[in-house]
């Protein structure tokens, strides 16, 4: 242990540019000796953010060796797994190996945890990539990581397999925000509804709107749309391409009989779906952009361009109680749990 | 008039790629014969977006003839003045020449208006460029433009000089949002407080917080900070660099005696000020990002990275009543009006 207390936000590890926080930094110090207010983690699995993983996968034409190389070179260069194209990271699971002497925490050495702060700011060292699960965005490694004093985490529960917990915790902010935003009787649109965060959001939205509300799922693939239908996670399912705003808008109006959404949740993993989200949301409605492929300027200018007075929220990955809420969905819904187990375990 | 009603969003004029909205389109139809739900405008002046104007100016080494050529060739190619490098547009002032028979509007032929939708989606035809005001980003032309059914506009008032109105209308969304978000007794931070939108936001925030609240201005230059102080537009003024989050955070706590902001408004014109905004805002507080230099991922991951449960709003340029509200600030405050007249008239 280095006999010094670091900044709670981790600025002591920023190499450049100085004065920024670790997330904004181009390069951070990934020396695996902890300060007195850090935690050292023996990493098992990285759960790469979907936007980042997709970008790496596509740039490598799904070649695993190329993907490994890309991941290693990012971490070597930056000291963290922050995709330079998407800017995003992901999270990890591992075992607590050492706890700084100045930390007050409920953790003990040997605890299995998931970090709930992004890999885009987490000091990481990869000794070896053991396996890439290409359909689950997961990378098993031998390596270590550091958690800062303000870094949030969740102890992995005993009743849910770790890979499953990891998959769900990655997107825990989304259903938790749905729970905050969606009220009884509302019309709710979920774009990218058949994906991981989309399904959890549908579940939570169905719960919150009650019998007088309506949840409309928008999904690209027939296959994922079927999942949503079969599990009864929406009142209506529209199969369409969310990058085509006019098509989406027309389909939406058809399904709702001319009504626009009170709340729209965007969970896609591809760019240029801002306009679809804006067009299907009513004046004074709310759009929650969870998708990391969202462009700030496209959203801001897009809404102005059609004179739409909507509140557009940037999907903060964290909100109080989000880990518990999302894990509880797995406890409440056998069907979602089964589906996720098939995919992520 | 073409005896047909167009799409309210103007998709009927998109030439390519089909299925997009006019703003995302590469080419739109700028035939100056209106559909029954369009308005024809006799254009006087284009107020080119600052990023776009600067790009054209620099690529032409400030040569006026070259700039004229560049502008004409963009409009010839795209049917709109959307800078292919920056993607941005601007706004225009002109006189209503014809109103589609299917439109319900308070406008009449001969009214002088400013369009409040971007030139990046407005069908435009330039017959002649009369003059380029190189220090004001303004281009006087002979030409016509089309406003779609959903296109917003403001009638130019008689009591405010045109150029002044144009400058203020450009950022009208910001003070209008302050008016929505800021309540009596709140602690409010305005970052980039000495700029055009910043000053208007300060004024509105001071009005809304009342005697029990507190407005803290954060500004980079001593000169602009002095303006804020002299005009009494904040309770405290911090002169610091908003790209340095830890400095900003420490200064802020010093000034407030340890209190964080209920609402933070970001009006800067430079990148990487997201973290400063996040650190000085309290848990469950609100951050309104008006700055177009905001990065979606930096904001989303940054808040999560420090475990901050804040609501972050994308600065929609439009909200109901924004034009009136911002022009009224000029009517209410002689000092701001004088300041702006010196700069923009
Ligand atoms: N804000 C945060 O803190 C945070 C945290 C984690 C993740 N995220 C982001 O959240 C997003 C979703 O993550 P996820 O794990 O739920 O991803 P996911 O499981 O890959 O789901 C994405 C969904 O979007 C659908 N989709 C893709 N293209 C579409 C299109 N053109 N039209 C309609 N639907 C389309 C996909 O359908 P098909 O598979 O059928 O193509 C899929 O169902 C990602 O952008 C991720 O980066 C944000
Ligand atoms: N969302 C929308 O619809 C919309 C519409 C219009 C404009 N905008 C955006 O809003 C922003 C502000 O526009 P504006 O016209 O008000 O710009 P402006 O007049 O140029 O004001 C920018 C202010 O930010 C200050 N600033 C710059 N760097 C700073 C730093 N590092 N720390 C602290 N303050 C700093 C500047 O100070 P100094 O001059 O002293 O350096 C200036 O006072 C721009 O990004 C613009 O693109 C958004």
């Amino acid at each position: 242990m280095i006999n010094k207390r670091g900044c709670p936000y981790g600025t002591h590890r920023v190499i450049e540019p100085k004065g920024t926080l670790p997330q904004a930094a181009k390069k951070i110090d990934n020396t695996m000796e902890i300060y007195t207010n850090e935690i050292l983690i023996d990493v098992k699995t990285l759960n790469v953010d979907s936007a980042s993983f997709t970008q790496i996968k596509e740039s490598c034409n799904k070649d695993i060796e190329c993907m490994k190389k890309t991941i290693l070179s990012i971490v070597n260069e930056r000291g963290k797994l922050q995709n330079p194209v998407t800017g995003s990271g992901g999270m990890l699971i591992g075992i607590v190996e050492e706890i700084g002497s100045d930390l007050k925490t409920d953790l003990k050495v040997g605890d299995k945890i998931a970090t709930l702060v992004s890999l885009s700011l987490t000091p990481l060292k990869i000794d070896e990539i053991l396996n890439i699960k290409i359909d689950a965005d997961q990378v098993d490694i031998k390596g270590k990581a550091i958690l800062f004093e303000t870094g949030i985490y969740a102890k992995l529960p005993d009743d849910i397999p770790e890979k499953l917990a990891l998959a769900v915790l990655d997107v825990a902010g989304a259903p938790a925000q749905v729970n905050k935003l969606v009220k009884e009787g509302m019309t709710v649109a979920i774009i990218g509804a058949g994906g991981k965060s989309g399904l959890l959001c549908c579940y939570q939205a169905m719960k919150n709107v009650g019998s007088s509300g309506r949840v409309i799922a928008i999904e690209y693939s027939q296959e994922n749309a079927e999942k949503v239908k079969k599990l009864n996670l929406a009142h209506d399912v529209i199969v369409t391409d969310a990058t085509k705003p006019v098509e989406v808008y027309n389909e939406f109006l058809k399904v709702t009989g001319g009504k626009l959404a009170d709340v729209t949740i965007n969970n896609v993993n591809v760019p240029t779906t801002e306009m679809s989200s804006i067009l299907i949301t009513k004046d004074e409605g709310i759009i929650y952009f969870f998708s990391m492929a969202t462009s700030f300027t496209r959203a801001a200018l897009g809404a102005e361009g059609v004179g739409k007075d909507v509140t557009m929220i940037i999907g903060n990955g964290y909100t109080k109680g989000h880990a518990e809420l999302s894990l509880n969905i797995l406890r409440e819904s056998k069907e979602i749990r089964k589906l996720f187990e098939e995919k992520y375990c």
Side-chain angles (χ1 to χ4, degrees), chain A residues 174-190:
Chain A
Q177 286 290 354
V178 169
N179 189 38
K180 273 180 156 180
L181 298 173
V182 174
K183 314 274 178 234
E184 214 179 314
M186 280 185 169
T187 298
V188 180
I190 315 268

Side-chain angles (χ1 to χ4, degrees), chain A residues 49-51 170-171 192 194-198 219-221 224 240-243 267-270 290-293 315-317:
Chain A
D49 164 77
S50 169
D170 174 39
V171 295
K196 188 165 68 171
S197 59
E219 171 53 48
Y220 188 61
S221 71
N224 278 342
T240 184
D241 180 354
T243 67
N267 300 87
V268 302
N269 55 354
V270 299
F290 190 67
S291 165
M292 282 291 169
N316 182 350

Side-chain angles (χ1 to χ4, degrees), chain A residues 30 46 123 162 180 185 246-247 280 284 291 334:
Chain A
N30 65 350
L46 306 172
E162 39 181 75
K180 273 180 156 180
V246 183
E247 275 176 44
I280 63 172
E284 290 172 28
S291 165
K334 275 199 207 83

Side-chain angles (χ1 to χ4, degrees), chain A residues 2-8 12 35-37 102-104 149:
Chain A
I2 298 169
N3 198 9
K4 262 201 306 202
R5 197 185 174 108
C7 159
H12 55 289
Y35 286 68
T36 60
N37 60 342
D102 280 336
L103 275 184
K104 277 178 201 65
E149 187 175 342

Side-chain angles (χ1 to χ4, degrees), chain A residues 73-331:
Chain A
S73 87
I74 293 174
V75 175
N76 279 340
E77 198 167 312
R78 309 198 134 204
K80 55 181 180 173
L81 182 52
Q82 180 179 33
N83 186 315
V85 179
T86 65
S88 57
M91 46 190 294
L92 61 83
I93 46 177
I95 288 164
V96 174
E97 187 171 310
E98 191 184 356
I99 297 175
S101 52
D102 280 336
L103 275 184
K104 277 178 201 65
T105 168
D106 60 340
L107 289 179
K108 51 183 192 322
V109 169
D111 276 349
K112 199 177 285 174
I113 61 169
T115 60
L116 300 179
V117 286
S118 173
L119 289 177
S120 64
L121 59 87
T122 303
L124 176 70
K125 199 158 231 171
I126 300 183
D127 298 323
E128 196 188 339
I129 294 184
L130 303 171
N131 183 33
I132 294 187
K133 258 188 131 178
I134 200 156
D135 293 324
D137 304 357
Q138 288 177 348
V139 182
D140 294 328
I141 67 161
K142 259 177 71 174
K144 314 260 182 215
I146 301 270
L147 194 65
F148 299 127
E149 187 175 342
T150 55
I152 42 177
Y153 57 82
K155 276 201 239 189
L156 290 176
D158 295 328
D159 61 333
I160 294 171
E162 39 181 75
K163 293 267 166 85
L164 182 57
L166 184 61
V168 170
L169 288 172
D170 174 39
V171 295
Q177 286 290 354
V178 169
N179 189 38
K180 273 180 156 180
L181 298 173
V182 174
K183 314 274 178 234
E184 214 179 314
M186 280 185 169
T187 298
V188 180
I190 315 268
I191 308 184
K196 188 165 68 171
S197 59
L199 289 167
L200 296 171
C201 288
C202 283
Y203 179 86
Q204 192 63 46
M206 288 293 275
K207 207 166 147 176
N208 287 28
V209 297
S211 57
S212 58
R214 197 150 172 193
V215 176
I216 294 118
I218 297 169
E219 171 53 48
Y220 188 61
S221 71
Q222 195 64 50
E223 188 195 337
N224 278 342
E226 285 305 324
K227 281 186 207 162
V228 178
K229 263 188 220 158
K230 235 177 72 188
L231 300 190
N232 247 321
L233 290 174
H235 297 95
D236 304 279
V237 182
I238 299 173
V239 181
T240 184
D241 180 354
T243 67
K244 304 268 163 64
V246 183
E247 275 176 44
V248 172
Y249 176 69
N250 288 332
E251 286 299 312
F252 194 85
L253 290 185
K254 233 188 267 167
V255 159
T256 60
K259 223 175 157 181
L260 294 174
D262 296 291
V263 174
T264 296
I265 313 284
N266 184 318
N267 300 87
V268 302
N269 55 354
V270 299
T272 66
T273 63
E274 296 85 359
M275 266 334 286
S276 294
S277 314
I278 291 165
L279 288 189
I280 63 172
T281 307
K282 69 171 198 191
D283 254 316
E284 290 172 28
I286 294 174
I287 304 171
Y288 178 76
F289 286 107
F290 190 67
S291 165
M292 282 291 169
T294 306
S295 151
F296 184 91
T297 44
R298 268 201 301 267
L301 294 175
E304 184 192 81
V306 295
K308 191 59 95 65
D309 188 4
V310 282
T311 299
M312 298 183 286
I313 300 179
I314 297 175
N316 182 350
Y318 173 62
T319 186
K320 234 151 265 137
H322 69 328
E324 233 15 57
L325 181 136
S326 64
L327 291 171
N328 276 340
I329 294 181
L330 295 182
R331 295 186 178 111

